Amino acid sequence: MKSILKKLALLLIPVYLWFAFFVAFEPNNYFGLKSGASSSQPVARVRAYEQDPGTRLMIGDSRLAHFDLDLVEELTGTRWQNLAFGGASLKESIDLANYVLDSGNEVEEILFELSFYTLNVHYNTDRFSALEETLRNPVAYCLNLEYNVNALTVFLDTLRGTPDTIESGDWVAADYFDADGNAIPVHRKLYEYPELITPKCENWSLNEAEFDRLLELAARCEERGVRFVVVLPPMAGLVRTEVCDGYGITGVMENEVLPRLEAQSFPVLDYEWGGSCIQDDDTQFFDGFHLDEKYGLPDWTAQLFRDYSAAE
């Protein structure tokens, strides 16, 4: 029997080594053994919340995912926790907000992102049930191929000394020509963005079911004494003219959706249609939706949280 156990222990050595490697380099800090996650994936954001629940929360997609939280705390005098993650649909954001409210943890404030893009019935991804299963099942997390690839990528980046990247650009002359060599008025990443999102927007229509769920979420927050504020982040002018104006989205948002939002009891901070401090798209936008983290996002962060504090 002892001989069998020894052989079994030897056979399991590769498993132990793999597990130690995975825990050391997985970027989501799933097990809470590191100072923080290097990833902004949904599993990283929600796991961080479960390990150390905050009371003031940001929920939305990648346009809210990259705030400098030290700057936010400096501006507001309070600690905020960011649960926003890339590609989040309105359904996923509402599911996440309800997950937080169902957790039993104290919640004081929710800053909730909305946009013409997430209000689109054709953009309705639903990954939250799978995310909940991952959060409940460490074995499933460890055996997930994507997370293992992420761990390997972090390991290789560590070996190479690859620096962390941010969404920021110091554009040079070559960035002001399109793929055919024609001069363009703004840097190429911004110039090409409308074409990138057009497939999701060309048949745009309002997701009434999720809009109703948003109002139900707001009512639930009001009942719980949770301050609920909706923010529509800035978009680049090219997105508005090439996509929103071109496909009739502008009229629906301005004449139907915004009046319905503004008739509610919660504050609405509209920088998508109402304008913002972002005045130089070429410098302050990294692409059509995402503000440059060095040259645009800090300015809007200051405006947003000043307005947030003043909103009623």
Side-chain angles (χ1 to χ4, degrees), residues 11-32:
L11 288 173
L12 289 175
I13 286 175
V15 177
Y16 299 146
L17 292 174
W18 158 78
F19 182 70
F21 173 88
F22 180 75
V23 171
F25 292 102
E26 60 90 15
N28 300 308
N29 196 25
Y30 183 92
F31 301 99

Side-chain angles (χ1 to χ4, degrees), residues 94-136:
I94 294 171
D95 286 347
L96 177 53
N98 281 316
Y99 180 84
V100 165
L101 294 175
D102 289 338
S103 69
N105 299 321
E106 180 185 2
V107 181
E108 295 181 25
E109 303 180 46
I110 293 178
L111 179 63
F112 191 95
E113 181 213 329
L114 200 61
S115 165
F116 81 87
Y117 195 75
T118 59
L119 281 164
N120 183 6
V121 74
H122 301 294
Y123 187 70
N124 202 34
T125 53
D126 182 8
R127 296 164 290 179
F128 202 78
S129 58
L131 173 61
E132 285 187 282
E133 175 62 26
T134 300
L135 294 169
R136 289 193 301 264

Side-chain angles (χ1 to χ4, degrees), residues 18-260:
W18 158 78
F19 182 70
F21 173 88
F22 180 75
V23 171
F25 292 102
E26 60 90 15
N28 300 308
N29 196 25
Y30 183 92
F31 301 99
L33 301 176
K34 294 174 270 194
S35 60
S38 59
S39 165
S40 59
Q41 290 192 40
V43 66
R45 291 284 163 95
V46 180
R47 199 63 170 167
Y49 172 77
E50 291 182 331
Q51 292 159 0
D52 182 21
T55 62
R56 295 175 177 86
L57 308 171
M58 306 171 193
I59 295 178
D61 66 15
S62 56
R63 285 163 287 183
L64 257 60
H66 302 294
F67 284 120
D68 179 342
L69 293 181
D70 290 334
L71 175 59
V72 173
E73 185 169 353
E74 179 185 325
L75 291 166
T76 63
T78 54
R79 174 178 174 259
W80 281 80
Q81 192 166 25
N82 199 336
L83 299 185
F85 59 87
S89 67
L90 179 55
K91 175 175 174 51
E92 290 170 330
S93 293
I94 294 171
D95 286 347
L96 177 53
N98 281 316
Y99 180 84
V100 165
L101 294 175
D102 289 338
S103 69
N105 299 321
E106 180 185 2
V107 181
E108 295 181 25
E109 303 180 46
I110 293 178
L111 179 63
F112 191 95
E113 181 213 329
L114 200 61
S115 165
F116 81 87
Y117 195 75
T118 59
L119 281 164
N120 183 6
V121 74
H122 301 294
Y123 187 70
N124 202 34
T125 53
D126 182 8
R127 296 164 290 179
F128 202 78
S129 58
L131 173 61
E132 285 187 282
E133 175 62 26
T134 300
L135 294 169
R136 289 193 301 264
N137 190 340
V139 174
Y141 177 76
C142 292
L143 296 179
N144 184 284
L145 177 60
E146 178 185 354
Y147 300 135
N148 276 268
V149 171
N150 291 342
L152 179 60
T153 300
V154 171
F155 170 71
L156 293 174
D157 286 345
T158 302
L159 283 182
R160 298 169 184 148
T162 305
D164 292 336
T165 58
I166 61 173
E167 292 185 337
S168 180
D170 292 302
W171 311 108
V172 298
D175 295 312
Y176 292 88
F177 292 90
D178 65 18
D180 297 322
N182 301 308
I184 51 178
V186 294
H187 65 79
R188 187 167 167 179
K189 187 174 286 290
L190 174 56
Y191 182 79
E192 293 177 344
Y193 201 77
E195 185 176 353
L196 181 67
I197 64 172
T198 288
K200 289 288 186 184
C201 299
E202 56 191 351
N203 295 311
W204 188 95
S205 62
L206 178 63
N207 191 332
E208 292 282 0
E210 293 306 321
F211 190 90
D212 289 343
R213 289 187 70 220
L214 172 71
L215 300 185
E216 291 169 3
L217 170 63
R220 187 180 183 195
C221 287
E222 186 174 9
E223 291 171 4
R224 290 271 300 267
V226 177
R227 187 180 191 219
F228 184 78
V229 178
V230 166
V231 57
L232 288 79
M235 63 175 165
L238 275 174
V239 173
R240 177 163 182 161
T241 57
E242 299 300 313
V243 178
C244 296
D245 293 349
Y247 293 105
I249 300 168
T250 301
V252 178
M253 288 296 299
E254 291 186 333
N255 299 325
E256 299 179 28
V257 178
L258 286 173
R260 288 171 65 182

